[in-house]
Amino acid sequence: GGGISGLTFALGLRRLSVPCHIYEAASQFGEIGAGVGIGINAQRAMSLIDPRILAGYLKVSCENLDPSKRDIYFQFRMGMDGRGKAAGWKAGSLVTEINGRSEAEWVAGFDDERAVLGGFAKLEGEGHTKGGFGMSVAHRAHLLDELVELYPREGVSFGKRVKRIEQDGLGVVLYFADGSESARHSVAVGCDGIKSDVRRHLWGKEYDAVFSGKYAYRGLLPMAKALELLGDKALVMTAQNYVGHGGHFITMPIENGKLMNVVAFRRAKDGQWRDEKWVLPMQREHLMKDFEEWGEKSKKLLSLMERPDVWALFEDPPLPQYWKGRVAVIGDAAHASTPHQGAGAGMAIEDAYVLSSLLGLVKRPEQAEAAFRAYDEVRRERSQKLVTTSHNAGELYELHATGVDDDLDKLSDKLSHQFKWIWDEDVTQEFERAKKMFEDLTK
């Protein structure tokens, strides 16, 4: 797969002089969707894989453009008038805010690392700096373009969807859906996303992704329109999460503040998704019906979304392990989660760092299974935890979480602990643990 996880992983291998080749099902590199959030944990993993990856990300990323909110991850506000225990709270009221710098303990040492890469350069035409420890997001296609620039063209084959994988004593043989000649390699790693063919090869259909019970309307709108509607520059230039009964929506600036990224989430009434397609064109009347009880400004903002689609939100059931023999999976192919903590891509980048670093230690092909075993040992628990906590976060934002519901004091307390474990991870320690296990296995 040649998405963000595949390219990041391949760049890590090449930096360690591990020969590799990408097989991409599409006819060219490409990403669908708009914004992708990359937390400070994942930015650090980028820099460890190859500093050029982080430099490229910072080139196209956008943070909160109000300088005083640079370290805010989200401001959580009511998107509708509250009821039940939230009665008296009006639409637009600030419930709480999460500060990324105070949540992560190691970020002070990362300031200098990112400054060296130019992360604190002035935005053209603005008086703001990049490189805060709050919300950080890039357009998926722009981030992919930066990764593609770093990867050699001869290292990829397009139009190559894997149909079958066979393993023998010499390695793996890949067979492609287009009927072209098979390819033999020492190992294969599936970076082929939530609908992973490699995962199905390893574990069968019973581990296919399942519907999470929610869907999302995703779209963009010109920042000028958002500012005209809301009349508060600090509000529109800072990431917002509008919570409510049965739904929530988020807004954030992208493309250096030219556009607002809007994603509106809603619980499926019967908990089912019946269409075989996971992405559908939006019918605007359905969006407005879903949010008819929300505040007037919320509804107006949603009505202004341009080119919106509806996305069914699926998630992976927990795999028993991330490898079999000389085949492994990383990223969404291993642990696709809902986007409610903005950390799915970050987990894939952490995977890429740990596994590429381990494969860099391999001296003989038969040692690859030890590298896969060590990768699985240090990465599976953390990455599968994200699937669970992201699902639960969606319930929190929609005032439906067990033991919290619409008690906003309890919600604020839960949110204050929701992200620290993600951001505060030291992936170098993960690799050191994995390295020791690899060395023990290959003695």
Side-chain angles (χ1 to χ4, degrees):
I4 291 171
S5 63
L7 276 164
T8 305
F9 175 59
L11 287 167
L13 292 174
R14 285 182 172 266
R15 188 167 174 82
L16 295 171
S17 300
V18 179
C20 64
H21 195 85
I22 290 175
Y23 296 96
E24 166 57 40
S27 60
Q28 60 185 13
F29 288 119
E31 278 280 356
I32 59 173
V36 56
I38 302 293
I40 50 179
N41 57 301
Q43 291 179 41
R44 191 181 191 202
M46 283 177 164
S47 72
L48 292 166
I49 295 168
D50 186 332
R52 298 176 301 166
I53 296 176
L54 178 59
Y57 172 73
L58 291 174
K59 178 181 171 184
V60 298
S61 66
C62 185
E63 288 78 28
N64 295 326
L65 297 181
D66 179 345
S68 68
K69 306 297 184 185
R70 193 169 64 93
D71 291 327
I72 298 300
Y73 179 62
F74 266 126
Q75 291 184 324
F76 289 85
R77 298 179 181 273
M78 289 297 293
M80 63 194 308
D81 292 342
R83 56 178 185 260
K85 293 180 181 178
W89 285 76
K90 297 297 183 183
S93 301
L94 180 66
V95 177
T96 189
E97 62 183 23
I98 303 299
N99 186 302
R101 182 178 294 273
S102 64
E103 284 290 296
E105 296 174 354
W106 54 265
V107 298
F110 198 39
D111 278 308
D112 292 339
E113 185 176 353
R114 297 204 330 176
V116 167
L117 292 168
F120 294 98
K122 294 287 182 180
L123 290 176
E124 183 178 356
E126 299 285 347
H128 312 307
T129 56
K130 300 189 75 172
F133 292 98
M135 177 57 67
S136 181
V137 64
H139 196 293
R140 283 180 177 273
H142 297 170
L143 173 56
L144 193 74
D145 287 345
E146 293 298 317
L147 297 174
V148 169
E149 282 291 313
L150 301 175
Y151 192 78
R153 177 62 181 82
E154 65 273 14
V156 59
S157 297
F158 294 106
K160 299 294 183 184
R161 180 176 297 281
V162 173
K163 180 178 68 174
R164 190 170 87 255
I165 303 175
E166 293 181 356
Q167 301 193 53
D168 57 28
L170 298 176
V172 299
V173 181
L174 307 179
Y175 296 89
F176 302 104
D178 65 357
S180 59
E181 185 178 354
S182 61
R184 173 175 287 280
H185 294 278
S186 300
V187 300
V189 178
C191 313
D192 50 342
I194 191 169
K195 295 183 179 182
S196 173
D197 294 313
V198 178
R199 181 180 67 236
R200 181 176 283 188
H201 163 78
L202 292 178
W203 298 109
K205 292 184 178 181
E206 66 180 292
Y207 287 99
D208 283 359
V210 297
F211 182 54
S212 71
K214 291 182 171 61
Y215 55 89
Y217 301 95
R218 296 183 174 183
L220 303 170
L221 69 145
M223 189 60 77
K225 285 188 177 180
L227 184 57
E228 180 181 358
L229 170 65
L230 299 176
D232 184 337
K233 188 173 183 180
L235 181 70
V236 300
M237 293 295 185
T238 302
Q240 305 292 328
N241 189 324
Y242 294 89
V243 304
H245 299 277
H248 72 284
F249 74 92
I250 60 175
T251 69
M252 63 195 70
I254 63 172
E255 297 196 21
N256 287 343
K258 297 183 184 72
L259 296 173
M260 174 181 278
N261 187 42
V262 183
V263 189
F265 301 86
R266 191 69 188 178
R267 180 189 309 278
K269 288 182 172 60
D270 61 359
Q272 302 295 316
W273 184 264
R274 293 182 171 82
D275 200 294
E276 64 179 17
K277 295 181 179 179
W278 293 7
V279 181
L280 299 171
M282 187 200 76
Q283 297 184 42
R284 198 168 294 275
E285 61 270 22
H286 291 174
L287 168 64
M288 301 317 296
K289 177 68 175 176
D290 275 347
F291 289 88
E292 63 182 351
E293 297 182 11
W294 289 59
E296 289 305 313
K297 286 189 175 180
S298 294
K299 289 190 289 188
K300 182 64 174 175
L301 192 65
L302 294 175
S303 74
L304 294 174
M305 291 168 65
E306 297 181 354
R307 303 186 303 279
D309 294 318
V310 184
W311 294 59
L313 302 180
F314 281 70
E315 58 196 0
D316 282 347
L319 288 176
Q321 62 186 47
Y322 289 170
W323 67 286
K324 266 187 183 181
R326 293 199 190 178
V327 181
V329 286
I330 71 170
D332 280 357
H335 47 75
S337 65
T338 51
H340 305 308
Q341 289 184 285
M347 284 290 168
I349 293 166
E350 289 183 0
D351 288 348
Y353 164 67
V354 172
L355 186 53
S356 65
S357 299
L358 284 167
L359 291 175
L361 301 175
V362 170
K363 298 295 187 288
R364 301 183 307 277
E366 57 268 25
Q367 293 180 331
E369 291 187 38
F372 286 164
R373 184 185 295 273
Y375 152 72
D376 178 73
E377 178 69 24
V378 302
R379 291 298 302 160
R380 181 155 46 90
E381 181 179 356
R382 171 170 166 81
S383 55
Q384 289 182 345
K385 179 180 177 179
L386 180 72
V387 180
T388 300
T389 61
S390 290
H391 186 102
N392 294 341
E395 300 296 279
L396 281 173
Y397 306 156
E398 299 182 5
L399 310 183
H400 196 71
T402 302
V404 177
D405 294 315
D406 52 10
D407 186 322
L408 299 186
D409 288 334
K410 289 183 178 179
L411 174 65
S412 297
D413 181 63
K414 280 282 189 181
L415 291 173
S416 70
H417 305 292
Q418 192 72 27
F419 303 95
K420 179 179 173 62
W421 74 272
I422 299 173
W423 297 335
D424 215 20
E425 183 76 354
D426 187 343
V427 288
T428 60
Q429 291 184 9
E430 282 190 27
F431 170 62
E432 289 303 320
R433 286 194 291 119
K435 179 182 177 182
K436 183 179 186 308
M437 183 177 181
F438 172 81
E439 290 172 342
D440 290 342
L441 290 168
T442 55
K443 282 180 179 177

